[in-house]
């Protein structure tokens, strides 16, 4: 009887460890960028068993928010634990996750193209990691997600390059209506929007062609519906988030134009408690496109 009990405990231990087996996270790797003339930092999540297989994995680019870095989702978002659990429970498929440092540049080129972060992301970072790691470099198997500044970057990149991304999941996206952009106090505008649009702009002068070309609201208004519908889009926002109006406005525009998307308003504010609960929802949404 004692021998059987020991054997049972051993089996349960093995089963439990396999169900919640640990993945591997590589923090703060570096890629030299010719476009930016500097090194770009990024972190990587590799699913359990990556090192012992030859399988090509789908990829999700997971973007940090303003003042964050390539380790934010790891340090504050508990992403490794969350993703491991969701994979073990069968809610999402195994995937590689790339977390680049957003460098507080709004995931776009700046107004005079002197710092082309958006071009770097598409032309250098994506080809670099998709060659370095065993990633299925195809639209269907490429997703993008992020929070706040990274949420807006997610929508901006996915809607601007629908030929590259199969799905997008954005949380508490930093989207402002024209009225909100115009009314933003000057120090706040310079500190955030000014990093990409140029500082010193006041009132309606802020609504430049560069702003229009990069605003998710304007892209949603002008991009052909067929192209927008080629990307599966999910976004959410807390009901008490200061960005709630911008996100609701995006929903209305997409709804009026007949663009398929999923939009959720949940209880919450602009903080990690909200984003940690958004992550499994968003990854599950993206993951559905990885299977047939």
């Amino acid at each position: 009887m004692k021998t059987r009990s020991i054997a049972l405990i051993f089996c349960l231990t093995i089963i439990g460890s396999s169900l919640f087996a640990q993945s591997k996270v590589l923090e703060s790797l570096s890629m030299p960028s010719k476009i930016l003339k500097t090194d770009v930092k990024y972190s990587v999540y590799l699913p359990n068993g990556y090192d012992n297989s030859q399988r090509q994995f789908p990829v999700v680019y997971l973007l940090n928010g303003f003042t964050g870095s390539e380790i934010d989702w790891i340090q504050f978002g508990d992403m490794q634990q969350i993703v491991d659990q969701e994979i073990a429970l069968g809610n999402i498929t195994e995937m590689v996750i790339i977390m680049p440092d957003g460098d507080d540049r709004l995931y776009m080129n700046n107004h005079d193209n002197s710092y082309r972060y958006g071009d770097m992301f598409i032309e250098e970072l994506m080809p670099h990691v998709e060659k370095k790691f065993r990633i299925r470099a195809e639209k269907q198997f490429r997703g993008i997600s992020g929070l706040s500044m990274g949420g807006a970057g997610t929508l901006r990149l996915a809607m601007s390059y629908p030929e590259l991304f199969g799905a997008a999941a954005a949380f508490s996206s930093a989207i402002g209506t024209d009225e909100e952009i115009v009314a933003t106090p000057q120090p706040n505008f310079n500190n955030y929007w000014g990093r990409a649009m140029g500082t010193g702009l006041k009132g309606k002068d802020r609504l430049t062609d560069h702003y229009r070309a990069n605003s998710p609201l304007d892209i949603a208004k002008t991009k052909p519906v067929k192209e927008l519908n080629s990307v599966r889009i999910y976004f959410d926002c807390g009901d008490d988030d200061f960005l709630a109006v911008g996100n609701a406005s995006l929903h209305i525009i997409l709804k009026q134009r007949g663009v398929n998307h999923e939009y959720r308003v949940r209880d919450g504010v602009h903080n990690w408690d909200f984003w940690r609960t958004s992550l499994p929802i968003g990854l599950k949404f993206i993951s559905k496109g990885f299977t047939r």
Side-chain angles (χ1 to χ4, degrees), residues 8 12 42 68 102 130 145 147 154 164 175 189 204:
L8 178 60
L12 291 175
Y42 66 94
E130 292 179 6
S145 183
L147 67 90
T154 291
L164 296 181
I175 302 172
F189 177 86
K204 292 185 178 180

Side-chain angles (χ1 to χ4, degrees), residues 21-41:
Q22 276 286 301
S23 55
K24 181 165 66 175
V25 167
L26 309 176
E27 291 189 17
S28 301
L29 304 181
S30 183
M31 180 202 75
S33 168
K34 292 181 180 179
I35 292 176
L36 300 184
K37 298 180 176 59
T38 188
D39 288 347
V40 175
K41 298 287 187 182

